[in-house]
Amino acid sequence: MKITWHGHSAFELQDSLLTVIDPFFMGNPMADVKADDVDPDVIVVTHGHADHMGDTLTIAKRTGCTVVAINEIAKYIQSNGIDARGGNIGGTIDIDGATYTFVQAVHSNGIDEAGFGWDAGSPAGVVVGDNVTVYHAGDTALFNDMALIRELYRPKVAMLPIGGRFTMDVNQALLAVKMLQPQFAIPMHYNTFDVIRADVGKFQRMVEDQTDAEVVIMEPGDSIDV
């Protein structure tokens, strides 16, 4: 699997399918691409906030790709004439052999572009199972059941927010790595805006001193093969 970071929480996973998670490009000062530059088979939306749902509608209308989201968000996307498949926490959606399993995230939720007039259901993280299994935590606080995500899915890669204020900070994300035990930890949701500034070097030092995980610090547009 080739994993590319496009800034904030936006990732592109190239495996049997091309999956884009949380495509926040327009308005994202870190983004290295525009909505017209990506051509996914599947978009995953972890929750409805504008910095995660982002350019989903624009991309899906142009490409005809499938969107995977929590059921309430999927219904909103369907109302815009888009192929969206809804699931819920603990459930799995299979698309051509690739699996998308929604897991808990401790956060708030609302569809910003709908003016919060549409119930957005639960926020979520997602475990993507293709030839490699990865866990994208979405926006979340630390929670003990991350240990269950490890036990159930054994993700090789964990993408974790570290920016604080709206999500885990560096110290909490360290505990998340200890529970998840991935081979690779990729920090996200930091330094996009001043309010979520974080010391990513400190995160790397702590994780690599205290766990067996390798921290991969990426710049927007960087890719790794796992």
Side-chain angles (χ1 to χ4, degrees):
M1 178 185 287
K2 180 180 180 181
I3 300 174
T4 303
W5 188 47
H6 293 307
H8 203 57
S9 299
F11 285 88
E12 187 173 313
L13 313 180
Q14 176 68 71
D15 211 331
S16 68
L17 295 178
L18 179 59
T19 299
V20 173
I21 304 174
D22 287 353
F24 171 46
F25 305 133
M26 187 172 68
N28 177 359
M30 294 184 71
D32 64 301
V33 295
K34 298 179 181 178
D36 287 345
D37 297 328
V38 297
D39 191 12
D41 299 303
V42 177
I43 294 174
V44 179
V45 178
T46 62
H47 62 293
H49 292 163
D51 59 328
H52 293 264
M53 189 165 168
D55 300 288
T56 295
L57 298 185
T58 299
I59 297 168
K61 286 177 180 177
R62 175 177 58 83
T63 65
C65 70
T66 299
V67 178
V68 173
I70 287 292
N71 199 49
E72 288 78 5
I73 294 176
K75 288 180 178 178
Y76 172 75
I77 293 171
Q78 290 165 3
S79 77
N80 286 269
I82 292 167
D83 175 19
R85 305 187 191 182
N88 219 313
I89 305 299
T92 298
I93 296 171
D94 187 311
I95 300 178
D96 296 333
T99 58
Y100 303 88
T101 303
F102 288 113
V103 295
Q104 180 183 8
V106 179
H107 193 57
S108 60
N109 200 10
I111 301 172
D112 284 351
E113 67 181 62
F116 290 93
W118 197 293
D119 179 12
S122 299
V126 65
V127 177
V128 180
D130 208 329
N131 292 307
V132 173
T133 301
V134 305
Y135 165 52
H136 185 293
D139 277 2
T140 190
L142 181 68
F143 57 95
N144 275 328
D145 282 353
M146 286 182 177
L148 288 179
I149 294 173
R150 163 64 183 173
E151 184 175 344
L152 287 167
Y153 308 111
R154 300 190 178 275
K156 187 171 186 177
V157 181
M159 302 154 179
L160 300 171
I162 67 166
R165 183 63 178 264
F166 304 104
T167 69
M168 297 186 292
D169 61 15
V170 166
N171 295 317
Q172 295 162 355
L174 167 64
L175 296 180
V177 175
K178 289 181 177 181
M179 283 189 279
L180 291 161
Q181 300 177 32
Q183 183 176 343
F184 301 102
I186 302 178
M188 64 176 185
H189 205 277
Y190 71 99
N191 292 359
T192 316
F193 309 104
D194 286 341
V195 73
I196 54 171
R197 289 282 166 193
D199 186 345
V200 70
K202 177 183 176 182
F203 176 68
Q204 181 177 38
R205 290 189 298 273
M206 291 194 306
V207 168
E208 294 186 349
D209 285 347
Q210 299 181 43
T211 79
D212 293 328
E214 176 184 345
V215 174
V216 180
I217 299 174
M218 304 175 78
E219 296 294 330
D222 283 354
S223 300
I224 61 168
D225 292 303
V226 294

